[in-house]
């Protein structure tokens, strides 16, 4: 379970989060939506410990993240980055097995490679890809490799940052489907950041809408279309007119 | 008065900015050094960086040293001839290369090649979230990316400079014997006889410090790179310029220390 309480974050003059509260239950898939610059990525980075909040608390499975052992805390996570963030200098299988080859409990290269190939197969990539370098792959394949890396160590919590950015609609559908299947199969808690509504409908159990650093709406996926919230409706319908000011 | 205030404010802001940058670099350097000595150690990364920084810089350092040694021999001969001191060519070429030109020119050439490469690589990793990815994979980027580069450069530079010194002396020897009419045996004898151990050690100590500076500037600017291609480009320029200036400043300080 992930619980965020009264989270604040500002960068010099720019206040990004103004007191965000949210809770994701174990095994639940939460999607956070909102326009660009509304604080979605900063919220994610705060949860991951990549940014330090100015105020507020974050609890993972009931424990305050500031008091957890950092490596132990991070080892329970998997993360798919917006542009996959694969390491250019490593082959695909070494990218996938990166975590398995680090730390005091590191595996042998043979074991780690076997797991990497299995995870690559799980995301629909053939073992031939394993020895290639990320630059040799298409955007969709890189996303799949990123997904394989995120699930390589069977984490209990997986984060997805804009998983369909830069992909065509068909590949977006494939990635969404894979994410949904894998999260359900692993029984993992998932948090996804996106402004792609097809991802929201495919992945989400619950949805939160962030605007101006605050939660403007939250509810289950079934309530999304029925909501009368003006912010949410403007976002869903893609209207230029409404409470959300479009930056022209 | 208003203009004067603005000028003062602008100077003050620049001074504060400069001081805070120095502070950040010192903190970054201390943190990096501490990671060199604390496990986990990344031996493969260290070896790979040693090859990148040391082995692949050999051609540029070797060629620089060869032509510098050759030109130095001609210059010293030309100057020495004015007071009948042509015979000092072998010893001055050797001492000049080993104490000063080998480490400084080698350092500047490696700064151009390695600082820029490190800054561009780390800057790109920052921009494409690869550094964030390392953190989420329970790997400390300072330990995995910065510490091996610093250690590799600090070890590789003295080796590079030692090779460069030898090639530079060879350049002087080729010009001395082929163009200036020196006897081969006498040239080599004069080269060795007037050289002291302190000349070699001071040059190699300088090289180690320059290696550290080169990697530190590359890592610092790359690690803290701004967004986008422009941010990476700026980080690369800053890395090369700051490494070059710091090498020249450190050279003077170390020369005073070894004087």
């Amino acid at each position: 379970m992930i619980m965020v309480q009264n989270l604040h974050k500002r960068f010099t003059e720019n206040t990004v989060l103004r007191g965000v509260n949210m809770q994701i239950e174990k095994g639940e898939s939460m999607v956070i939506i909102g326009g660009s610059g509304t604080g979605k990525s900063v919220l994610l980075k705060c949860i991951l410990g990549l940014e330090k909040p100015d105020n507020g608390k974050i609890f993972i499975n009931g424990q305050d993240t500031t008091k957890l052992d950092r490596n132990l805390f991070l080892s329970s996570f998997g993360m798919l980055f917006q542009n996959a963030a694969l390491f250019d200098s490593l082959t695909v299988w070494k990218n996938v097995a990166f975590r398995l080859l680090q730390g005091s409990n590191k595996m042998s290269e043979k074991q780690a490679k076997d797991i990497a190939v299995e995870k690559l197969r799980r995301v629909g990539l053939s073992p031939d890809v394993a020895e290639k370098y990320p630059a040799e792959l298409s955007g969709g394949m890189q996303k799949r490799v990123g997904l394989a890396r995120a699930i390589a160590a069977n984490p209990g919590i997986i984060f997805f940052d804009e998983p369909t950015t830069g992909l065509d609609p068909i590949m977006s559908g494939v990635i969404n489907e894979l994410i949904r299947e894998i999260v359900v199969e692993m029984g993992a808690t998932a948090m996804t950041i996106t402004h792609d509504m097809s991802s929201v409908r495919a992945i989400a159990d619950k949805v939160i809408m962030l605007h101006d650093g605050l939660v403007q709406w939250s509810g289950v996926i079934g309530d999304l279309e029925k909501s009368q919230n003006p912010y949410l409706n403007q976002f869903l319908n893609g209207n230029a007119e409404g409470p959300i000011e479009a930056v022209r | 008065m208003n203009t004067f205030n603005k000028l003062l404010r602008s100077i003050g802001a620049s001074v504060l900015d400069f001081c805070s940058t120095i502070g950040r670099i010192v903190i970054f350097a201390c943190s990096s050094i501490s990671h060199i000595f604390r496990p986990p150690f990344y031996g493969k990364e260290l070896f790979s960086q040693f090859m990148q920084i040391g082995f692949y810089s050999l051609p540029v350092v070797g060629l620089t040293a060869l032509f510098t040694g050759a030109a130095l021999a001609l210059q010293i001969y030309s100057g020495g001839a004015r007071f009948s001191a042509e015979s000092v060519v072998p010893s001055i070429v050797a001492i000049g290369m080993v104490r000063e030109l080998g480490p400084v020119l080698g350092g500047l050439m490696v700064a151009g090649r390695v600082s820029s490469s490190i800054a561009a690589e780390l800057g790109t990793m920052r921009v494409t979230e690869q550094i964030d990815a390392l953190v989420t994979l329970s790997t400390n980027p300072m330990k995995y990316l910065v510490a091996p580069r610093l250690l590799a450069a600090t070890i590789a530079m003295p080796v590079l400079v030692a090779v460069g010194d030898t090639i530079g002396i060879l350049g002087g020897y080729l010009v001395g014997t082929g163009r200036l009419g020196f006897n081969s045996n006498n040239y080599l004898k004069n080269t060795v006889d007037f050289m002291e151990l302190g000349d070699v050690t001071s040059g190699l100590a300088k090289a180690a410090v320059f290696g550290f500076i080169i990697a530190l500037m590359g890592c610092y600017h790359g690690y803290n790179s701004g967004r986008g291609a422009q941010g990476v480009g700026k980080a690369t320029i800053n890395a090369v310029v700051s490494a070059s200036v710091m090498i020249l400043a450190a050279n003077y300080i170390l020369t005073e220390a070894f004087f």
Side-chain angles (χ1 to χ4, degrees), chain A residues 20 66 70 86 136 178 200 226 239-240:
Chain A
V20 171
T66 54
R70 192 165 165 74
L86 301 177
E136 298 173 70
L178 263 174
V200 179
K226 298 176 215 158
N239 292 334

Side-chain angles (χ1 to χ4, degrees), chain A residues 2-29:
Chain A
I2 303 170
M3 188 158 71
V4 174
Q5 284 181 346
N6 195 29
L7 203 68
H8 287 77
K9 178 72 189 172
R10 63 184 292 164
F11 298 96
T12 56
E13 298 303 305
N14 182 21
T15 304
V16 183
L17 301 176
R18 299 168 189 274
V20 171
N21 292 290
M22 57 174 262
Q23 189 166 323
I24 311 175
E25 299 298 335
K26 192 171 188 301
E28 196 172 68
S29 177

Side-chain angles (χ1 to χ4, degrees), chain B residues 23-38 140-144 146-148 150 212 216 220 223:
Chain B
R24 279 195 296 271
I25 292 174
V26 169
I27 292 168
F28 187 87
C30 292
S31 167
S32 312
I33 292 169
S34 80
H35 283 297
I36 290 175
F37 298 104
R38 284 185 293 151
N140 187 328
M142 293 293 284
K143 221 176 255 304
Y144 184 76
V146 178
L150 279 182
F212 180 80
L216 180 69
Y220 173 78
Y223 199 85

Side-chain angles (χ1 to χ4, degrees), chain B residues 9 13 24 57 72 75 85 101-102 109 124 134 154 237 250 259:
Chain B
R9 198 173 299 157
R24 279 195 296 271
S57 296
L72 194 59
Q75 294 283 22
L101 292 173
M109 295 309 286
T124 306
L134 274 176
T154 309
I237 293 168
F259 193 66

Side-chain angles (χ1 to χ4, degrees), chain A residues 106-159:
Chain A
K106 66 178 177 187
M107 294 179 178
S108 68
E109 287 217 348
K110 165 90 178 66
Q111 269 180 307
K113 190 172 183 180
D114 288 347
I115 293 175
V117 169
E118 179 206 319
K119 297 296 178 188
L120 285 171
R121 209 174 268 137
R122 178 65 196 89
V123 297
L125 292 173
S126 84
D128 303 343
V129 170
E131 294 296 343
K132 291 189 173 176
Y133 283 88
E136 298 173 70
L137 307 180
S138 67
M141 288 167 95
Q142 288 187 11
K143 276 276 162 71
R144 288 180 195 231
V145 175
L147 183 55
R149 182 173 71 181
I151 61 171
N154 297 318
I157 302 168
I158 313 176
F159 296 97

